Amino acid sequence: MFGRCTVEYDGRAASSLGAGNRLLILKPDGTALVHTDEQRTPVNWQPPGSEHRAAVRDGRLRVRSVRENPDERLDVRFDRVEQVSALPVTGGRSVDVYGSEEDLRHRILDEPELVEPGFEPAATERATAAGPVDVFGHDDEGRPVVVELKRRRVGPDAAGQLGRYVEALARELPDGTEVRGVLVAPSVTDRAGELLAEKGLSHVPLSPPASSTTPSGDGRGSTTAPERSTDADDGAD
């Protein structure tokens, strides 16, 4: 539903939006979303489980979304309605996410020989002074190995990052300990390859699995609800 409206919320806080052209979306699960012409998150909303009611009061269409626990009410009052549409949206919430670094990590842990024969993972997200190491392990001679994972073609920055991890870990271990570094990525630029060679680091060309399924609504792993608007009346748009 699109038109000129005001929006008032009362519940855990209170907020009021002055008259403006806005888009109101009501979903079968009880979700209500009020969108303006800015940003991707709604300016106000009600979660799934809310109940929607509509009535005409004093010549204005009022759409009310009510939630009982906790007690919350969202009122959208239209001075003018430009469009009303009812559309059967289908397809569910499962999203195919293509080639994440997490998928690549699982692939390495399941098949460590993809890094090199004899490689044995020991930890993930191992802390160092330069930051957490994606995968830490040992080669077939027992030498520490830092594995940095990238889901796409990378340049010199990735080579430098791996070098910093290797140097930081070497400072933590007994003097003389040789720490190896391996960059796992589908491909690297020529300059990145040169830097890896200069630092004595290796590159293993490997891509993440084709896809994995996540219930996330946006395909990027985020399921966090938008923050409730608590601004005072913002006046006319």
Side-chain angles (χ1 to χ4, degrees), residues 4-235:
R4 188 168 181 81
C5 63
T6 60
V7 182
E8 294 184 356
Y9 165 78
D10 186 56
R12 291 172 292 171
S15 66
S16 178
L17 294 172
N21 293 327
R22 299 186 178 94
L23 176 66
L24 171 64
I25 300 174
L26 304 176
K27 298 186 178 183
D29 67 355
T31 300
L33 305 170
V34 180
H35 282 277
T36 66
D37 61 345
E38 296 179 335
Q39 303 185 11
R40 66 183 180 89
T41 55
V43 68
N44 222 321
W45 56 281
Q46 286 281 69
S50 303
E51 293 185 1
H52 309 317
R53 307 164 189 166
V56 176
R57 296 285 188 272
D58 300 324
R60 302 176 69 194
L61 173 63
R62 185 199 70 192
V63 179
R64 172 169 290 179
S65 180
V66 178
R67 185 186 185 195
E68 293 185 354
N69 187 21
D71 186 16
E72 296 180 298
R73 186 184 73 245
L74 180 70
D75 282 336
V76 183
R77 292 181 171 87
F78 286 89
D79 295 319
R80 184 177 68 251
V81 176
E82 302 287 350
Q83 179 177 335
V84 177
S85 300
L87 304 172
V89 180
T90 61
R93 300 179 65 240
S94 293
V95 178
D96 288 333
V97 181
Y98 294 92
S100 70
E101 287 185 9
E102 185 63 22
D103 292 332
L104 187 55
R105 187 200 316 271
H106 285 300
R107 187 177 182 188
I108 293 297
L109 296 177
D110 290 340
E111 303 177 77
E113 66 275 8
L114 291 173
V115 175
E116 63 182 31
F119 174 68
E120 295 185 3
T124 60
E125 298 298 317
R126 186 198 187 283
T128 73
V133 170
D134 287 335
V135 179
F136 170 74
H138 297 87
D139 64 16
D140 57 2
E141 297 182 10
R143 293 174 296 187
V145 180
V146 172
V147 180
E148 176 65 15
L149 307 176
K150 298 296 182 184
R151 61 179 293 270
R152 62 182 65 182
R153 179 178 174 85
V154 294
D157 286 349
Q161 181 182 18
L162 175 60
R164 290 191 294 273
Y165 290 154
V166 169
E167 292 169 1
L169 187 58
R171 289 194 295 268
E172 297 176 16
L173 299 177
D175 291 344
T177 301
E178 179 185 355
V179 180
R180 298 179 54 215
V182 178
L183 177 61
V184 176
S187 62
V188 299
T189 64
D190 290 343
R191 180 54 183 154
E194 293 171 358
L195 287 176
L196 290 171
E198 290 174 7
K199 295 175 178 290
L201 308 174
S202 305
H203 168 235
V204 173
L206 186 66
S207 299
S211 67
S212 63
T213 301
T214 173
S216 167
D218 63 6
R220 287 165 288 190
S222 174
T223 56
T224 303
E227 292 186 3
R228 174 73 68 182
S229 172
T230 57
D231 294 337
D233 191 334
D234 66 352

